[in-house]
Amino acid sequence: MPKQKIPVQAIPRLSLYYRVLLGYKTSEFIRSSELARLTGFSAAVVRRDLAYFGQFGIPGRGYNIAQLKESILKILGIDTEWKIALVGVGNLGSALISYKGFTKHGFKIVCGFDVNPSKLNKKKADVPIKHMRDLAKYVREKAIKIAIIAVPALNCQEAVDKLVKAGVRGILNFAPFRPKAPAGIEVLNVDLSIELEKLAYFLNQAKQK
Amino acid sequence: MPKQKIPVQAIPRLSLYYRVLLGYKTSEFIRSSELARLTGFSAAVVRRDLAYFGQFGIPGRGYNIAQLKESILKILGIDTEWKIALVGVGNLGSALISYKGFTKHGFKIVCGFDVNPSKLNKKKADVPIKHMRDLAKYVREKAIKIAIIAVPALNCQEAVDKLVKAGVRGILNFAPFRPKAPAGIEVLNVDLSIELEKLAYFLNQAKQK
DNA sequence: TAGATTGTTAATCGATTAACAATC
DNA sequence: TAGATTGTTAATCGATTAACAATC
């Protein structure tokens, strides 16, 4: 198997194909051109992306919807539920705990961590909130591999260090700070100020024309 | 001026350079290698990015920090305050209203919009909440150009349509849906489930080795 | 001037696109 | 079989990297 290298951009596209497929209950097959139309990518990209992972299609027909759904589910690794630890139960953290969208995609925030005494030992949307000092034990015991960080920039690196030490391998970071992490740990940064600055740049350019 | 094309990836990098520069009060000059070290990019990328916009550096010395800060500020268009309309004042929307980080970067949510009667005509963190039917008038009057969408997927396209009609040109969309928008309107999607699915894929791959 | 670092050019790398042979 | 669409190859496009002449 000469397994070629898969461009990282293909992965979120797979997620979007999957989302489209979820909307199909009835019809048997879907063509790459249809998936392309509904996601905004080109049909060639769709076929290329799927071909990285196997031969899912039937020439002349398209892709069996149920089968493709199942395949993408497995490729993305969302065929089982992922337990998530949330670090930082402030405004954003609280909103994320209550967010229903995660559950639908097989992700479950099982515990929040904070240091603010007013938040501790309560439950938010049925999720327990514990002190940061209990993080290592809890995360290790429950074998949690994914975490979300929603703390201020200053506390971000510390949170990453603790999580990694406790066995977390993937981190979704909302703090406006780029933490360092050892090789083999995936950190995805969602940086709201930077997104807004992209918009500002774009509008600024448009204005100058 | 043969103004070459600027890769979009350069823009968020500029934001990060700017963030690093904010940390410098004292020293006069900073080298590309230093900016590179602190942001994790290569020195060549740093120089390339800056060179797209002008000759900011002095060979043998580096970049004047105060000057470079000022220049990036203008390039990104964050030298003035941007007013932002927020559509959807649920959990996430409320968290965004209270988020201090935006103000620090020159962005200000000036009004929230919702249809839920229990939220209307109140203030959250000093921001008024109005009914969606008042959006067009308000946005047009205040000449708001940027909006944040934090509504369910089903209401996303409608929100985009209304915003664009009212004169909004840049949209940060948190709904798990890719809305269509006319050319010339910039829509940035922050899709939390997709980010988590990227992590799931990554961990799934790592496991298989 | 000697030393250092920028700005830019050419080479490399990687992803997307276009085209079409293979296949149902 | 004829028609349709996949999977894959080659060509194109775009961004990054490496190297170095220009310049303070």
Side-chain angles (χ1 to χ4, degrees):
Chain A
M1 262 180 226
K3 195 98 177 255
Q4 54 203 304
K5 236 196 128 206
I6 295 152
V8 286
Q9 293 92 321
I11 309 309
R13 285 197 298 257
L14 283 185
S15 290
L16 290 172
Y17 305 149
Y18 183 71
R19 198 178 275 174
V20 166
L21 294 174
L22 284 179
Y24 282 78
K25 305 283 175 204
T26 48
S27 58
E28 271 287 289
F29 283 82
I30 188 166
R31 280 163 279 151
S32 61
S33 57
E34 181 79 352
L35 269 170
R37 192 178 60 78
L38 292 167
T39 54
F41 307 116
S42 75
V45 159
V46 172
R47 293 199 298 277
R48 192 96 224 46
D49 285 346
L50 296 176
Y52 285 126
F53 298 97
Q55 303 209 150
F56 302 118
I58 298 173
R61 299 268 266 140
Y63 300 88
N64 178 294
I65 289 173
Q67 226 169 277
L68 188 57
K69 229 188 268 187
E70 195 58 25
S71 300
I72 297 182
L73 208 66
K74 276 180 191 154
I75 293 164
L76 291 177
I78 51 176
D79 49 343
T80 51
E81 191 181 75
W82 289 90
K83 285 170 287 183
I84 297 180
L86 170 73
V87 181
V89 192
N91 287 314
L92 182 58
S94 300
L96 295 173
I97 281 190
S98 309
Y99 182 51
K100 302 283 186 302
F102 290 151
T103 331
K104 208 165 57 184
H105 291 256
F107 298 98
K108 190 180 181 186
I109 296 178
V110 292
C111 189
F113 295 93
D114 210 304
V115 291
N116 187 331
S118 73
K119 286 168 189 156
L120 299 179
N121 303 318
K122 294 177 181 171
K123 282 195 171 191
K124 284 217 178 194
D126 256 327
V127 176
I129 314 295
K130 296 180 186 289
H131 194 280
M132 279 298 284
R133 76 170 81 87
D134 301 326
L135 185 147
K137 187 163 179 275
Y138 188 94
V139 165
R140 203 168 282 133
E141 269 175 11
K142 301 253 173 172
I144 294 170
K145 296 297 166 201
I146 295 183
I148 297 177
I149 293 182
V151 299
L154 278 174
N155 307 312
C156 173
Q157 185 64 60
E158 190 198 348
V160 168
D161 295 345
K162 282 189 180 165
L163 287 166
V164 169
K165 220 173 154 191
V168 162
R169 305 287 308 273
I171 295 173
L172 186 54
N173 173 39
F174 286 91
F177 177 86
R178 306 283 156 132
K180 295 231 180 305
I185 307 297
E186 183 86 345
V187 178
L188 299 181
N189 298 293
V190 175
D191 203 315
L192 303 187
S193 294
I194 284 184
E195 297 303 317
L196 287 179
E197 281 169 11
K198 283 193 223 170
L199 287 180
Y201 170 80
F202 172 80
L203 297 192
N204 213 30
Q205 290 311 103
K207 202 169 54 187
Q208 270 148 42
K209 272 174 201 160
Chain B
M1 261 181 229
K3 196 104 177 248
Q4 55 203 305
K5 236 195 125 206
I6 294 152
V8 287
Q9 294 91 321
I11 309 307
R13 285 197 298 256
L14 283 185
S15 291
L16 289 172
Y17 305 149
Y18 183 70
R19 198 178 275 174
V20 165
L21 293 174
L22 284 179
Y24 282 77
K25 305 282 174 202
T26 48
S27 57
E28 271 287 290
F29 284 81
I30 187 166
R31 278 164 280 151
S32 61
S33 58
E34 181 79 351
L35 269 169
R37 192 178 60 79
L38 292 166
T39 54
F41 307 116
S42 75
V45 159
V46 172
R47 292 200 298 276
R48 191 96 229 42
D49 286 345
L50 297 177
Y52 284 126
F53 299 97
Q55 305 209 149
F56 302 118
I58 297 174
R61 300 267 265 141
Y63 300 87
N64 177 295
I65 289 174
Q67 226 169 280
L68 187 58
K69 231 189 265 186
E70 195 58 25
S71 300
I72 296 182
L73 207 67
K74 276 179 190 153
I75 293 164
L76 292 178
I78 50 175
D79 49 344
T80 51
E81 192 182 75
W82 289 91
K83 285 170 287 183
I84 297 181
L86 171 72
V87 181
V89 193
N91 288 314
L92 182 58
S94 301
L96 294 175
I97 281 191
S98 309
Y99 182 51
K100 302 284 186 302
F102 290 151
T103 332
K104 208 165 58 184
H105 291 257
F107 298 99
K108 190 181 182 187
I109 297 179
V110 292
C111 190
F113 295 93
D114 209 304
V115 291
N116 187 331
S118 72
K119 284 169 190 155
L120 299 179
N121 305 317
K122 293 178 182 171
K123 283 197 169 190
K124 284 217 178 193
D126 256 328
V127 177
I129 312 296
K130 295 179 186 292
H131 194 279
M132 278 300 282
R133 76 170 80 87
D134 301 325
L135 186 147
K137 185 164 179 275
Y138 188 95
V139 165
R140 206 169 280 133
E141 269 177 11
K142 301 254 174 173
I144 294 171
K145 297 298 165 201
I146 295 182
I148 297 177
I149 293 183
V151 299
L154 278 174
N155 307 313
C156 174
Q157 185 64 60
E158 189 198 347
V160 168
D161 295 344
K162 282 188 182 167
L163 287 166
V164 170
K165 220 174 155 191
V168 162
R169 306 287 309 275
I171 295 173
L172 187 56
N173 174 39
F174 286 91
F177 177 86
R178 305 282 156 133
K180 294 231 181 304
I185 307 295
E186 183 86 347
V187 178
L188 299 181
N189 299 294
V190 175
D191 203 315
L192 303 186
S193 294
I194 285 185
E195 297 302 317
L196 286 179
E197 281 168 11
K198 284 193 222 170
L199 286 180
Y201 170 79
F202 173 81
L203 297 193
N204 213 29
Q205 291 311 103
K207 201 169 55 188
Q208 268 149 42
K209 272 173 201 162

